[in-house]
Amino acid sequence: MSDFSEELIRPTTEDEQGEPCVRSGSGMCFPWLQKHIESIASGGKQEKDFAQTTSACLNFIQEALLKHQWQRAAEYMHSYLQVLEDTDSNKRQGAPEIVWRLGSEILYYHPKSSVETFNTFADRMKNIGITNYLKISLQHALYLLHHGLLEDANRILTQAETWRYGEKSSSQEVLVNLIQAYKGLLQYYSWYKKKMELSKLDKDDYAYNTASQNMLNHSWKTSINLCTLIQIPGVWDPFVKSYIEMLEFYGDQDGAREVLNNYAYDEKFPSNPNAHVYLYNFLKREKAPREKLISVLKILYQIVPSHKLMLEFHRLLRKSDKEEHHKLGLEVLFGILDFAGCTKNITAWKYLAKYLKQTLMGSHLAWVQEEWNSRKSWWPSFHFSYFWAKSNWKDDKTLACEKALVAGLLLGKEMKKGTSRWPQ
């Protein structure tokens, strides 16, 4: 930890020499730390209790991290390492994980940190916090991936994959599966590169057959690592996407469909909008019937009414022969525009203006009233105020015109009075 920066080995200044200071195990002096420790004293008496000191130091580290003061956090961290020798067995047992989490965060952002420093720190912490070996290994591998060191990351994951400590617990099993899955992602990356190379070769070329066989070997290894994890309830988006791409490439449509259906509909899995997005896109590629596509997007609409696929959902509903779908199509448009992030979505306003006219001409005034009744108290100020009219006209005249058309249809002649009565 003394490698955090040169600040840790800087000489003491003249002003600091006469001051009391806290010394690290290597004899480095931190006079400012002594002042902070003294600040926890009550009634003017200095608290020397070990627990008080480490607790205060931890608070100072957290404060430095919140303020992105990485050098200062590193200095505090150097002194905080004494927590690993805490006489309280419970605190000493949990200390390695705290040290790892704080230290890795500092090293990740410290301007003078390096991959070599992080590697050294990670290796030491794996030996100290033996029960956290898998967690540390996984984060270590992700750090290396972030720096583009794929081979080093794969080596770390391979070592962790075969590591065992004591009796195998359920949490340890999940971590091993996760490590294997990340290893599978690395293998997927290699597979994907080979796939791109294959696409540039002639199918009659000998090199094509060789490359194809190499891809098959990679896909077999990857599928084993990914398949186990995605059967465990959880959110595994990148792993599922990679696995599905490989299944589709080799023509296993039934296998891909089964994986996606389980991921989206299995009650053991947490609610996940992306699961329905992946299923919808897969069914769309398969040219599934409109009814099937609508059923998938209907669930997504219930989870995320403002999702970008909702405009596509509206178009599907509009093309349906069922009147209930036409009614839902109007509800979907209103639902999109309920969200602040969609207020300038010109496509949504165009669709709503056009669909309102069609709905009213089709003698479905009740549909419009049903949607408007719950919004008439807040939509006028949210969408149709003078401020927004002026702002929209300045930024996008087409948007302003579409919104004005919708406002006219919804508010009619009563708009200027600020009411929302429907003309009879």
Side-chain angles (χ1 to χ4, degrees), residues 6-232:
E6 296 174 359
E7 177 66 19
L8 294 178
I9 57 174
R10 66 178 174 84
T12 306
T13 63
E14 293 181 2
D15 294 335
E16 294 170 348
Q17 287 177 352
E19 299 179 0
C21 67
V22 172
R23 291 186 176 275
S24 69
S26 58
M28 286 174 283
C29 183
F30 301 98
W32 44 264
L33 182 57
Q34 178 66 29
K35 294 177 182 178
H36 282 300
I37 292 174
E38 289 175 355
S39 70
I40 67 171
S42 56
K45 296 181 180 180
Q46 181 179 340
E47 292 285 351
K48 297 181 179 179
D49 182 78
F50 183 88
Q52 286 265 6
T53 303
T54 54
S55 177
C57 196
L58 177 60
N59 289 334
F60 302 147
I61 293 171
Q62 292 171 332
E63 182 181 355
L65 289 176
L66 287 172
K67 295 179 180 179
H68 294 181
Q69 297 172 345
W70 311 116
Q71 174 56 36
R72 203 158 182 79
E75 295 171 356
Y76 286 129
M77 194 68 204
H78 190 93
S79 297
Y80 183 69
L81 287 177
Q82 63 182 316
V83 75
L84 295 171
E85 302 173 5
D86 200 313
T87 54
D88 187 321
S89 60
N90 291 329
K91 291 182 179 180
R92 188 171 65 250
Q93 187 175 2
E97 184 172 1
I98 297 174
V99 170
W100 162 251
R101 291 187 181 278
L102 293 174
S104 60
E105 185 76 4
I106 294 168
L107 285 173
Y108 188 87
Y109 292 105
H110 198 290
K112 293 184 179 180
S113 178
S114 65
V115 173
E116 291 73 18
T117 304
F118 195 98
N119 286 341
T120 301
F121 177 60
D123 289 339
R124 288 180 181 175
M125 292 310 302
K126 289 174 193 175
N127 293 325
I128 295 173
I130 194 71
T131 57
N132 297 308
Y133 184 94
L134 294 176
K135 291 181 182 179
I136 295 173
S137 295
L138 182 56
Q139 190 172 348
H140 188 189
L142 293 176
Y143 173 86
L144 294 171
L145 283 175
H146 176 75
H147 286 78
L149 301 171
L150 274 62
E151 292 184 5
D152 290 343
N154 187 67
R155 176 178 53 79
I156 296 297
L157 293 173
T158 300
Q159 291 173 354
E161 185 181 16
T162 57
W163 182 87
R164 295 293 182 273
Y165 176 74
E167 294 184 6
K168 190 175 182 180
S169 63
S170 57
S171 60
Q172 190 178 99
E173 186 175 359
V174 172
L175 277 172
V176 170
N177 290 333
L178 189 59
I179 284 168
Q180 290 173 339
Y182 270 104
K183 188 177 177 182
L185 275 186
L186 287 176
Q187 292 165 343
Y188 161 79
Y189 179 73
S190 299
W191 175 87
Y192 184 81
K193 287 198 300 183
K194 292 182 183 298
K195 176 186 171 184
M196 292 296 99
E197 293 171 2
L198 191 67
S199 64
K200 299 175 183 178
L201 297 175
D202 189 332
K203 290 187 177 182
D204 297 327
D205 194 335
Y206 173 78
Y208 181 90
N209 293 328
T210 304
S212 180
Q213 185 60 44
N214 287 336
M215 278 186 63
L216 188 60
N217 293 335
H218 272 86
S219 66
W220 179 77
K221 295 177 183 177
T222 306
S223 62
I224 292 176
N225 286 325
L226 296 179
C227 187
T228 304
L229 179 72
I230 62 179
Q231 292 177 6
I232 302 171

Side-chain angles (χ1 to χ4, degrees), residues 244 248 256-257 260-261 264-265 273-300 307-317 319:
I244 293 302
E248 285 192 85
R257 189 184 303 105
L260 290 172
N261 275 315
Y265 298 132
N274 287 338
H276 301 281
V277 173
Y278 300 154
L279 179 59
Y280 172 75
N281 288 332
F282 171 78
L283 293 173
K284 190 177 176 182
R285 290 193 296 271
E286 277 202 314
K287 302 187 184 302
R290 184 187 302 132
E291 287 291 325
K292 184 63 178 176
L293 297 176
I294 287 175
S295 68
V296 175
L297 288 183
K298 189 173 182 179
I299 298 177
L300 180 62
H307 196 279
K308 62 182 180 181
L309 281 176
M310 289 304 101
L311 290 175
E312 194 166 327
F313 183 36
H314 167 77
R315 291 195 294 270
L316 289 171
L317 292 167
K319 294 176 182 177

